[in-house]
Amino acid sequence: MNVKDRERINVLDVLLDCVDYEDACQRVAAFLNSYSNKVIVTPNAEIIMAAQKDHELKAVLNAADICLPDGIGVVIASKILGKPLAERTTGFDFMMKVLGMADKESLRLFLLGGKPGIAEKAGEKITSMFPNIQIVGSYHGYFNEDDTQKVVSIINNLKPDILLVAMGCPKQEMFMLHNKDKLKFKVAMGVGGSFDVLSGNVNRAPVFMQKAGLEWLYRLLTQPTRIKRISVLPLFLLKVTACRLTKNKEVSV
């Protein structure tokens, strides 16, 4: 699918794909059969707010081949803007769907990110859930800029079909897009703290809270230090509302 054919919604100048899980999986299937590297990012409200001050991050998000809206905050924003998204999607759940696709095709997977040892534990969990996936390698996310070429070489020597990058925003997005033309992979996806969840170091919210869009509340209750990050959500919605009101005034003039 060409960029010009993509249906996207503009949320504070970050272009999010208007897709549900099925549409997104169809795109990944096409990516896996293409001859060029494709990058997937999954910005939530916090990341979109960070992109307001970090123009390089905004450019990187908009350059991705899939920009999947992550979380209830972005869903609410889409409704405020009058372009409601098809369904609530999350980066973790989409990653699991991609892993399911990889399992069916016995694809090769490289895990990049997390503290030393976490990617290996995550790999063990993935292997137990998806036995046909070939984990060809892993590397922690605590490397500096001088070591980037070394990491790129390690990945390229192993030639994974799928590269999962769990280094947090904006480092993972910058790594994937800045090195896109240097790396050998078919699909790369930024997965944030997913390795911590897969390794058992961090628990996801109960299913009923996930379905209700209350994962942010669970994170706050279990990790009170996240309050500063979560407080971004109401500011994000206020900014989106102000943007919609401004556009309405422009139209009425």
Side-chain angles (χ1 to χ4, degrees):
M1 176 177 289
N2 296 325
V3 172
K4 64 181 181 180
D5 297 324
R6 292 163 65 182
E7 181 184 357
R8 299 200 279 183
I9 177 175
N10 185 324
V11 178
L12 304 181
D13 292 330
V14 173
L15 303 178
L16 304 169
D17 284 286
C18 295
V19 292
D20 55 19
Y21 286 127
E22 183 179 356
D23 293 332
C25 286
Q26 288 177 357
R27 292 191 189 183
V28 171
F31 292 167
L32 291 169
N33 288 313
S34 69
Y35 294 96
S36 59
N37 299 352
K38 304 295 184 182
V39 171
I40 301 169
V41 296
T42 61
N44 56 16
E46 181 184 352
I47 293 173
I48 293 173
M49 284 295 281
Q52 303 308 295
K53 297 180 180 179
D54 188 338
H55 297 295
E56 185 179 8
L57 172 60
K58 184 185 295 182
V60 163
L61 294 174
N62 290 337
D65 299 285
I66 295 180
C67 192
L68 187 78
D70 185 343
I72 191 64
V74 184
V75 173
I76 295 172
S78 71
K79 293 178 180 178
I80 292 172
L81 294 169
K83 296 183 179 180
L85 294 163
E87 68 176 337
R88 174 178 171 268
T89 54
T90 70
F92 184 89
D93 290 329
F94 184 54
M95 177 192 71
M96 297 303 290
K97 291 181 182 297
V98 171
L99 290 175
M101 297 169 66
D103 186 59
K104 291 179 181 178
E105 300 296 329
S106 298
L107 299 182
R108 298 163 60 84
L109 183 70
F110 190 99
L111 307 179
L112 175 64
K115 295 179 180 179
I118 293 297
E120 288 80 2
K121 289 183 179 179
E124 292 171 3
K125 180 65 174 179
I126 290 172
T127 299
S128 69
M129 297 175 70
F130 306 101
N132 294 321
I133 290 179
Q134 304 173 60
I135 306 289
V136 297
S138 62
Y139 200 89
H140 65 80
Y142 286 73
F143 59 90
N144 57 38
E145 191 172 339
D146 293 336
D147 292 327
T148 297
Q149 186 53 53
K150 171 188 172 183
V151 174
V152 168
S153 296
I154 291 172
I155 295 169
N156 287 346
N157 287 336
L158 295 169
K159 299 180 176 63
D161 297 300
I162 297 175
L163 171 65
L164 297 184
V165 186
M167 299 193 296
C169 179
K171 187 175 180 180
Q172 64 189 22
E173 288 79 13
M174 299 296 187
F175 177 85
M176 291 188 296
L177 270 298
H178 287 172
N179 296 289
K180 182 178 180 180
D181 296 332
K182 302 175 185 176
L183 285 161
K184 295 179 181 179
F185 63 81
K186 293 181 179 178
V187 172
M189 179 177 176
V191 296
S194 295
F195 291 177
D196 287 318
V197 176
L198 287 170
S199 67
N201 278 19
V202 175
N203 294 321
R204 282 195 81 187
V207 174
F208 80 91
M209 295 187 81
Q210 294 178 36
K211 291 183 177 179
L214 295 174
E215 285 188 272
W216 62 270
L217 178 59
Y218 178 80
R219 293 193 191 103
L220 179 58
L221 293 173
T222 55
Q223 298 174 281
T225 54
R226 293 176 63 98
I227 189 168
K228 184 176 180 180
R229 294 174 59 182
I230 291 174
S231 66
V232 168
L233 181 57
L235 295 175
F236 166 72
L237 294 176
L238 284 172
K239 195 172 183 68
V240 170
T241 301
C243 181
R244 176 62 189 269
L245 292 174
T246 300
K247 288 183 178 179
N248 286 347
K249 287 181 179 180
E250 291 174 351
V251 170
S252 63
V253 172

